[in-house]
Amino acid sequence: MKGLRVMPGGRAGRRRLYVNLPDGRAVAWYDRQANRISVLADDHREAILTALRPYLSGAVSIGPPPVPTAADLAGLALPPDADLAPNRPGEILLGELEHGPSGTRARQRLRQYLAAQQRMGDTFDALEADGWRTLHCVPVPGLGRIDHLLIGPPGIFCIRTVPGRRQRAVAGDLLLTVGRTAPSPDPRWTRRAAARATLALTAQVTPAVAVVDASRVEVAPTLRDVRILQPTTATTDLTSAPPSLKPTDITALFTLARDTRTWLPPATRPAAGV
């Protein structure tokens, strides 16, 4: 059948390719991670395979859509205003830049943090092809927002992102110093945020600080519980750790973490179904 279009789906189109009819109706999708084609309209099977052939690699399985898991159903039932999955890196900073302070120095600082979060966000989103899931701008009442929450085979990482501004950065047990600016409590903050995330997700969460575009990064030898990441080495640092989570665990934790109600104190969470 002529006229089928292949369109990317998922964050940055890395997870799925959808095959659509000219009227926009989907007739199949190709899951890159599972290397599987799910066919919704079997009478278009040959045309679907022809349209997807340039994108396929290796042994591809073909069949009807898989039966949704409990995590899939929970994600589908999530109200749009409670879903954190669509958040872009630096989502909140984009709004602050548009409606925030007009002072040159304040706006420059916001732009630096936004650029740092967007760069690290792109690095983390690229891991989705390897079975990782990422959330950005996760609100934690009383603490602000976790810049990036990364869930993958080696575990869960709570990441604070800091612009290095092409200067030397020194990470200590409690403070992070960039250039000659006043030290900031980023290591201490990400510990607290990771502890809150551990309670919310009932799974161990590792604190991390990502330093972007520093001339060099020095880490105190006593700093062992907080991971210090940089854009050029973050992927290797994270993926080299031994796996501890199965794909089903990752999906279930991602479904739980993407719900804003998960991060509310237990006494303030709405009842189920509300």
Side-chain angles (χ1 to χ4, degrees), residues 26-45:
V27 290
W29 71 79
Y30 170 47
D31 189 319
R32 295 174 184 265
Q33 182 180 336
N35 211 19
R36 185 180 194 279
I37 301 174
S38 295
V39 179
L40 298 172
D42 200 60
D43 53 326
H44 296 316
R45 177 183 287 250

Side-chain angles (χ1 to χ4, degrees), residues 92 96 137-147 160 189 192-193 196 263:
I92 301 304
E96 291 182 7
C137 298
V138 177
V140 182
L143 281 179
R145 292 179 182 270
I146 297 171
D147 294 335
R160 176 90 152 182
W189 185 94
R192 293 177 60 197
R196 286 282 295 276
W263 303 96

Side-chain angles (χ1 to χ4, degrees), residues 1 11 14 21 31 42 59 65 76 91 95 102 111 113 136 144 165 179 192 219 223 242 251 256-257:
M1 176 181 178
R11 181 172 287 143
R14 278 186 270 263
L21 294 173
D31 189 319
D42 200 60
L76 291 171
E91 183 87 26
S102 57
R111 289 193 186 98
Y113 274 87
H136 307 289
R165 300 191 296 274
R192 293 177 60 197
V219 182
L223 183 62
T251 300
L256 181 62

Side-chain angles (χ1 to χ4, degrees), residues 213-233:
D213 288 335
S215 60
R216 70 179 186 272
V217 178
E218 300 175 7
V219 182
T222 53
L223 183 62
R224 298 190 180 99
D225 62 326
V226 177
R227 302 282 293 271
I228 303 299
L229 305 174
Q230 298 181 66
T232 55
T233 58

Side-chain angles (χ1 to χ4, degrees), residues 28-112:
W29 71 79
Y30 170 47
D31 189 319
R32 295 174 184 265
Q33 182 180 336
N35 211 19
R36 185 180 194 279
I37 301 174
S38 295
V39 179
L40 298 172
D42 200 60
D43 53 326
H44 296 316
R45 177 183 287 250
E46 291 303 320
I48 290 167
L49 293 176
T50 300
L52 285 173
R53 189 163 291 120
Y55 308 96
L56 305 179
S57 61
V60 180
S61 60
I62 306 170
V67 177
T69 63
D72 293 331
L73 295 173
L76 291 171
L78 192 61
D81 59 351
D83 190 359
L84 297 172
N87 282 2
R88 297 165 293 175
E91 183 87 26
I92 301 304
L93 297 181
L94 288 167
E96 291 182 7
L97 272 172
E98 184 176 353
H99 305 291
S102 57
T104 303
R105 182 172 297 180
R107 292 185 68 82
Q108 181 181 6
R109 182 178 174 84
L110 284 176
R111 289 193 186 98
Q112 290 173 343

Side-chain angles (χ1 to χ4, degrees), residues 154-215:
I156 311 172
F157 300 87
C158 165
I159 301 165
R160 176 90 152 182
T161 302
V162 179
R165 300 191 296 274
R166 303 182 185 276
Q167 301 180 60
R168 181 179 70 125
V170 180
D173 289 346
L174 301 177
L175 300 172
L176 176 71
T177 305
V178 177
R180 298 182 179 180
T181 59
S184 57
D186 298 293
R188 186 169 55 193
W189 185 94
T190 196
R191 280 194 194 94
R192 293 177 60 197
R196 286 282 295 276
T198 296
L199 291 175
L201 302 176
T202 61
Q204 184 61 43
V205 178
T206 300
V209 175
V211 184
V212 180
D213 288 335
S215 60

